[in-house]
C-alpha cells in the first residue's frame, strides 16, 4: 500500500480535501478544530476506484508547524499537492515543493481547491500560475484537478488521478529488514504502548522483537493495526499502529525508530550529498545552526562541506554530517537541511555513507558499493550488507574484497609459504584475511596447521633423528644438531614426545606401555622407580622423565612411591 502526503500553503484546503475524499477529519485535536488550522499530522485511509487502499498523511501548511510537516513527509511515496484557486501560489507552496523535491519524491497530483469561489477565467489563470511554478520539478506535467469540497466538484476526477499516480509508484522492498520511523506514541487505556508510523522497509509480525532507537530497549510486538483493523503481519509502504510491550510510552515518541535487532548500523556520522536551494541568499559553509530532518526525526547537526569549503546556492556537493545521537541509516535515505538561526530551508540530499572511513579531507562519497569495498580493502559481507542496505555475496570466505586487493593478499601468502621452507607455513601466523586467501593460493596443500607447496616431499618423513631415537629406545640421544623447527614439528605431529628436555620416539612409548603391563603383573601392589629402571634397562637420568611422561598422559598412575597402570593404559580401557 502506498502512503501519500498532502502539501501546500496554510488554509488552502488540504484537510478539507482529505475529509471530502475519505470522510475522515484529519484534524484530530480540539485546538485544530477550534482554530480551523492543522497543527500536527493527521491520518486517513482512502479507497480508490481501482480497489487500492492508500494512506493519506495530512500535513500543516502554516510555517510555524513546518517541523511537523517535515516529520510527516520523510517516508511517503507521493504528494497530493494543494493550491487554492483563490489564493494562488504562496510561500509555503514553494517551500513544500522544494522539501518534497529534496526528499526525492517523484510522484504527485495537484489539486486546485476552492474553484467554487472563482470564475472560469480566474481558474485558468490559477492553473497557469501553478503550472509555471512547478516547471522543472517532479510536479511538471502532473494532472491539475479543480475541486470544490462543498459541492464535491472534481473529487471523483481527483480520485482517478490519484489512482493513476499510485499505480505508477514502484512497490517498496519488503525483502529488507524492517525500520519504522515513529511519528506518534500514546497509551490507550488497557493497551500498553502504541506507536504509529510509516513502515518504509521490511515487514512486521505480531510477536516480533524490535529494538528502539535511541535507547536500545527491546520491545515485543503485541498487536498490529492497519487503519484501525487488527492484522498479524504488515508490509513496507503502510501506515501502521504497533502495540508494544516492554517499553513505556513516555520512553518513545516522534523521531524514534523501531528496527530489527542487531542488523542495522546505527551511526552518528554520515557522508551525504547536499543540493543547496538556488533561492538561498548565501553559500553554505560549516557555520550555521543546522537542523537535519531524517525520517520522522529532527536533529541539530554539524555540517562539514567535503572538497570545497563552501557550497553556493544552486550547487550540489558532498557533506559530512555529525549527528548528536545515533540513527539507524542506510545509503539512499533522504534528508532536508534547515538553518534554525535564519529559519530557512537550506537544501537536502541523500545519505551516501553511514560509516565513512576516510578523513573528511579525502572523502569522496558516492552510492557505489564498489567504493565502500575499495575504501576498506576487506569487508565482512554482513557488515557490508548493514552499511549498504543491500545483500552482498561474499567473494572469499565471509569477506567481500576487491579483486586486485585479493590478488595482493594471495601473493603475500604465496610468498610467506615460499619463505617458510620445507616444513611449510604455520597457519597460525596468518591473519584472518590471509587465511581466507590461503584457499586461493595455487598448488598448496594444507595438513593440520601447516600449509606448503603442494607436491613438495615431506622433509620429516624418515627423519634420521627419529630413527636414532627409535633404535636407542630408553636411552635416547638429544636433539643436538637437529633443526629446532623440525623438532617442534615432530613433537606437534606426535612422532616424538618430550618430557623435561628428554625426547622419546613414539614407538619407545609404545614399548614402555607394554613393559608397564608386565610390571603390573609382577607387582600387583605397584612398582617402584628402581623396578621400572631395571625393566626398561636404563638409568635414572632417563627413567624419571619417561615415568613423568607416562604419569602425565595417564598410562601410569602414581601413588606415593608406587605406580600402577593408569586410566589410559590398555589394561584399564
Ligand atoms: N469554498 C470553499 N472553501 C474551502 C474549500 N476547501 C477548503 N475550504 C475552506 O478553507 C478553509 C481552510 O481549509 P483547511 O482544509 O483547514 O485548510 P488547510 O490547507 O488544511 O490548512 P492548514 O492545515 O492549516 O494548512 C476552511 O474554512 C475550509 O472550509 C473549497 O473547496 N471551497
Ligand atoms: Mg489542514
Amino acid at each position: 500500500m502506498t502512503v501519500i502526503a498532502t502539501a501546500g500553503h496554510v488554509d488552502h484546503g488540504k484537510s478539507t480535501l482529505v475529509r471530502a475524499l475519505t470522510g475522515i477529519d484529519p484534524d484530530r485535536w480540539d485546538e485544530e478544530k477550534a482554530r480551523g488550522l492543522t497543527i500536527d499530522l493527521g491520518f486517513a485511509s482512502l479507497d480508490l476506484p481501482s480497489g487500492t487502499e492508500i494512506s493519506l498523511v495530512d500535513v500543516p501548511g502554516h510555517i510555524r508547524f513546518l517541523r511537523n510537516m517535515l516529520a510527516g513527509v520523510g517516508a511517503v511515496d507521493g504528494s497530493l499537492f494543494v493550491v487554492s484557486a483563490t489564493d494562488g501560489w504562496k510561500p509555503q507552496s514553494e517551500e513544500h515543493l522544494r522539501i518534497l523535491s529534496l526528499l526525492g519524491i517523484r510522484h504527485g497530483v495537484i489539486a486546485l481547491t476552492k474553484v467554487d469561489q472563482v470564475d472560469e477565467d480566474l481558474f485558468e489563470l490559477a492553473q497557469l500560475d501553478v503550472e509555471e511554478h512547478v516547471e522543472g520539478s517532479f510536479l511538471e506535467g502532473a494532472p491539475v484537478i479543480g475541486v470544490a469540497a462543498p459541492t464535491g466538484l472534481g473529487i471523483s476526477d481527483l480520485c482517478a488521478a490519484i489512482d493513476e499516480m499510485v499505480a505508477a509508484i514502484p512497490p517498496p522492498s519488503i525483502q529488507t529488514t524492517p525500520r519504522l520511523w515513529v511519528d506518534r506514541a500514546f497509551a490507550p487505556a488497557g493497551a500498553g504502548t502504541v506507536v504509529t508510523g510509516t513502515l518504509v522497509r521490511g515487514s512486521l509480525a505480531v510477536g516480533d522483537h524490535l529494538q528502539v532507537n535511541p535507547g536500545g530497549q527491546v520491545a515485543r510486538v503485541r498487536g498490529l493495526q492497519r487503519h484501525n483493523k487488527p492484522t498479524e503481519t504488515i508490509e513496507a509502504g503502510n501506515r501502521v499502529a504497533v502495540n508494544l510491550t516492554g517499553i513505556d510510552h513516555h520512553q518513545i515518541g516522534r523521531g524514534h525508530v523501531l528496527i530489527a535487532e542487531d542488523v542495522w548500523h546505527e551511526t552518528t556520522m554520515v557522508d551525504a550529498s547536499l543540493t543547496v536551494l538556488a533561492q538561498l541568499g548565501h553559500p553554505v559553509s560549516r557555520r550555521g545552526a543546522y537542523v537535519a530532518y531524517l525520517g520522522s526525526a529532527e536533529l541539530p547537526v554539524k555540517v562539514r562541506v567535503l572538497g570545497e569549503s563552501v557550497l553556493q546556492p544552486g550547487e550540489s556537493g558532498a557533506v559530512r554530517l555529525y549527528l548528536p545521537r545515533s540513527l539507524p541509516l542506510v545509503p539512499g535515505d533522504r534528508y532536508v537541511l534547515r538553518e534554525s538561526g535564519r529559519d530557512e530551508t537550506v537544501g537536502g540530499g541523500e545519505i551516501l555513507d553511514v560509516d565513512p572511513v576516510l578523513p573528511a579531507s579525502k572523502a569522496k562519497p558516492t552510492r557505489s558499493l564498489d567504493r565502500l569495498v575499495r575504501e576498506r580493502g576487506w569487508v565482512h559481507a554482513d557488515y557490508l550488507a548493514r552499511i549498504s542496505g543491500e545483500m552482498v555475496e561474499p567473494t572469499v570466505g565471509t569477506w567481500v574484497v576487491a579483486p586486485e586487493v585479493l590478488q595482493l593478499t594471495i601473493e603475500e601468502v604465496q610468498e610467506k609459504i615460499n619463505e617458510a621452507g620445507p616444513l611449510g607455513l604455520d597457519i597460525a601466523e596468518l591473519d584472518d584475511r590471509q587465511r581466507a586467501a590461503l584457499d586461493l593460493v595455487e598448488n598448496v596443500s594444507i595438513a593440520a596447521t601447516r600449509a606448503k607447496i603442494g607436491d613438495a616431499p615431506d622433509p620429516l618423513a624418515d627423519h634420521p633423528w627419529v630413527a636414532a631415537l627409535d633404535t636407542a629406545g630408553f636411552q635416547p640421544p638429544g636433539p643436538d644438531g637437529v633443526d629446532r623447527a623440525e623438532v617442534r614439528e615432530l613433537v606437534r605431529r606426535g612422532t616424538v614426545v618430550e618430557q623435561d628436555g628428554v625426547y622419546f620416539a613414539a614407538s619407545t612409548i609404545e614399548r614402555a606401555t607394554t613393559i608397564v603391563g608386565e610390571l603390573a603383573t609382577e607387582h600387583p601392589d605397584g612398582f617402584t622407580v628402581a623396578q621400572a629402571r631395571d625393566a626398561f634397562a636404563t638409568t635414572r637420568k632417563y627413567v624419571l622423565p619417561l615415568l613423568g611422561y607416562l604419569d602425565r598422559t595417564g598410562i601410569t598412575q602414581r601413588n606415593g612411591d608406587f605406580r600402577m597402570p593408569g586410566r589410559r593404559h590398555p589394561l584399564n580401557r
Side-chain angles (χ1 to χ4, degrees):
M1 193 167 51
T2 312
V3 185
I4 303 295
T6 61
H9 199 73
V10 63
D11 253 4
H12 278 199
K14 297 179 289 299
S15 304
T16 306
L17 191 55
V18 169
R19 198 168 56 228
L21 286 165
T22 67
I24 300 163
D25 185 358
D27 286 337
R28 296 168 287 132
W29 308 107
D30 290 344
E31 193 190 347
E32 292 179 317
K33 292 187 199 296
R35 292 169 65 183
L37 180 84
T38 303
I39 296 168
D40 204 355
L41 302 171
F43 306 96
S45 60
L46 171 60
D47 290 311
L48 292 167
S50 63
T52 310
E53 193 189 23
I54 65 163
S55 295
L56 284 176
V57 178
D58 184 42
V59 309
H62 198 287
I63 176 84
R64 267 185 53 210
F65 311 122
L66 187 70
R67 51 202 297 245
N68 293 340
M69 180 270 179
L70 281 157
V73 294
V76 303
D77 312 292
S79 169
L80 172 55
F81 202 88
V82 173
V83 183
S84 156
T86 55
D87 244 11
W89 196 260
K90 287 283 178 181
Q92 264 60 59
S93 315
E94 185 64 36
E95 183 153 37
H96 284 196
L97 175 60
R98 289 183 202 157
I99 286 169
L100 296 174
S101 305
L102 292 170
L103 288 172
I105 290 166
R106 298 270 159 275
H107 305 270
V109 167
I110 301 168
L112 208 48
T113 57
K114 309 192 186 182
V115 294
D116 53 321
Q117 300 206 328
V118 295
D119 60 25
E120 205 153 305
D121 288 350
L122 263 178
F123 174 78
E124 272 174 26
L125 277 178
Q127 184 168 2
L128 285 173
D129 182 42
V130 168
E131 283 170 354
E132 206 170 295
H133 277 103
V134 301
E135 236 168 64
S137 81
F138 74 96
L139 285 179
E140 181 172 333
V144 182
I145 316 282
V147 294
T151 63
L153 178 85
I155 297 297
S156 61
D157 287 352
L158 182 60
C159 272
I162 294 173
D163 220 341
E164 211 168 296
M165 164 181 74
V166 167
I169 296 173
S173 168
I174 54 169
Q175 309 305 346
T176 50
T177 57
R179 180 178 59 181
L180 181 79
W181 291 100
V182 172
D183 42 44
R184 281 188 297 161
F186 48 96
T193 301
V194 172
V195 301
T196 66
T198 303
L199 185 64
V200 262
R201 296 167 55 102
S203 58
L204 294 180
V206 172
D208 281 355
H209 286 87
L210 296 173
Q211 200 171 313
V212 180
N213 167 291
Q217 303 98 321
V218 174
R220 199 178 69 87
V221 177
R222 189 160 80 177
L224 289 171
Q225 285 195 354
R226 177 173 44 207
H227 296 148
N228 305 319
K229 284 177 232 112
T231 171
E232 284 294 306
T233 60
I234 201 155
E235 293 175 348
N238 278 293
R239 291 285 314 161
V240 55
V242 189
N243 185 346
L244 294 170
T245 56
I247 186 146
D248 187 88
H249 79 281
H250 295 298
Q251 293 176 291
I252 188 166
R254 178 168 295 171
H256 287 219
V257 198
L258 292 176
I259 46 177
E261 273 181 275
D262 300 328
V263 286
W264 280 85
H265 184 76
E266 296 174 70
T267 179
T268 54
M269 180 173 88
V270 297
D271 285 351
S273 65
L274 176 64
T275 298
V276 180
L277 292 178
Q279 298 81 355
L280 201 71
H282 53 89
V284 173
S285 67
R286 68 165 75 192
R287 277 195 305 279
Y290 293 105
V291 181
Y293 294 83
L294 277 149
S296 60
E298 174 190 42
L299 299 164
V301 292
K302 287 202 169 61
V303 175
R304 160 121 193 226
V305 179
L306 301 177
E308 312 296 323
S309 59
V310 299
L311 284 173
Q312 298 295 337
E315 271 186 355
S316 290
V319 291
R320 182 159 289 181
L321 301 177
Y322 301 88
L323 314 179
R325 65 171 172 89
S326 73
L327 275 182
L329 300 175
V330 281
D333 283 342
R334 311 290 300 218
Y335 75 103
V336 170
L337 192 66
R338 300 195 88 243
E339 210 274 322
S340 56
R342 294 180 162 109
D343 194 21
E344 64 187 4
T345 301
V346 165
E350 184 181 37
I351 304 300
L352 301 173
D353 196 332
V354 297
D355 192 18
V357 289
L358 297 182
S361 56
K362 297 216 176 88
K364 289 197 176 68
T366 62
R367 272 296 294 281
S368 141
L369 204 63
D370 237 32
R371 176 190 61 83
L372 290 178
V373 175
R374 265 164 223 284
E375 284 178 0
R376 290 162 178 79
W378 287 70
V379 217
H380 277 296
D382 54 353
Y383 163 79
L384 186 61
R386 219 177 317 148
I387 63 164
S388 69
E390 291 172 41
M391 285 314 297
V392 195
E393 285 295 315
T395 324
V396 47
T398 59
W399 302 87
V400 179
V401 53
E404 64 276 11
V405 177
L406 178 59
Q407 188 52 40
L408 281 180
T409 312
I410 291 173
E411 282 163 20
E412 208 174 275
V413 175
Q414 174 93 58
E415 204 172 302
K416 273 176 171 284
I417 295 175
N418 291 345
E419 282 168 4
L423 271 188
L425 176 72
D426 188 351
I427 295 173
E429 286 175 26
L430 299 177
D431 65 27
D432 287 353
R433 295 156 197 211
Q434 292 170 331
R435 220 167 297 167
L438 181 59
D439 286 341
L440 302 176
V441 181
E442 266 173 43
N443 192 27
V444 159
S445 67
I446 296 162
T449 62
R450 289 192 172 263
K452 56 181 188 147
I453 299 305
D455 37 17
D458 181 358
L460 296 186
D462 309 319
H463 198 283
W465 182 52
V466 178
L469 287 177
D470 180 62
T471 312
F474 298 113
Q475 300 197 41
D480 314 328
V482 185
D483 182 273
R484 287 181 53 188
E486 290 183 9
V487 173
R488 269 201 311 276
E489 178 62 12
L490 285 167
V491 170
R492 196 200 57 74
R493 291 186 188 182
T495 315
V496 166
V497 305
E498 183 268 348
Q499 179 77 27
D500 304 329
V502 180
Y503 293 83
F504 300 95
S507 54
T508 305
I509 300 299
E510 269 171 49
R511 268 180 266 156
T513 306
T514 312
I515 292 171
V516 165
E518 291 160 11
L519 277 167
T521 323
E522 264 173 66
H523 310 281
D525 297 329
F527 57 89
T528 62
V529 170
Q531 287 162 344
R533 183 198 58 209
D534 295 347
F536 293 137
T538 186
T539 61
R540 277 184 75 82
K541 176 180 167 193
Y542 297 108
V543 78
L544 288 178
L546 180 58
L547 288 173
Y549 178 79
L550 296 176
D551 288 346
R552 174 159 71 83
T553 53
I555 293 167
T556 51
Q557 177 165 357
R558 182 173 171 183
N559 188 5
D561 287 341
F562 297 96
R563 282 181 168 77
M564 314 262 278
R567 64 195 160 78
R568 301 284 306 280
H569 193 282
L571 284 177
N572 292 333
R573 268 194 277 164

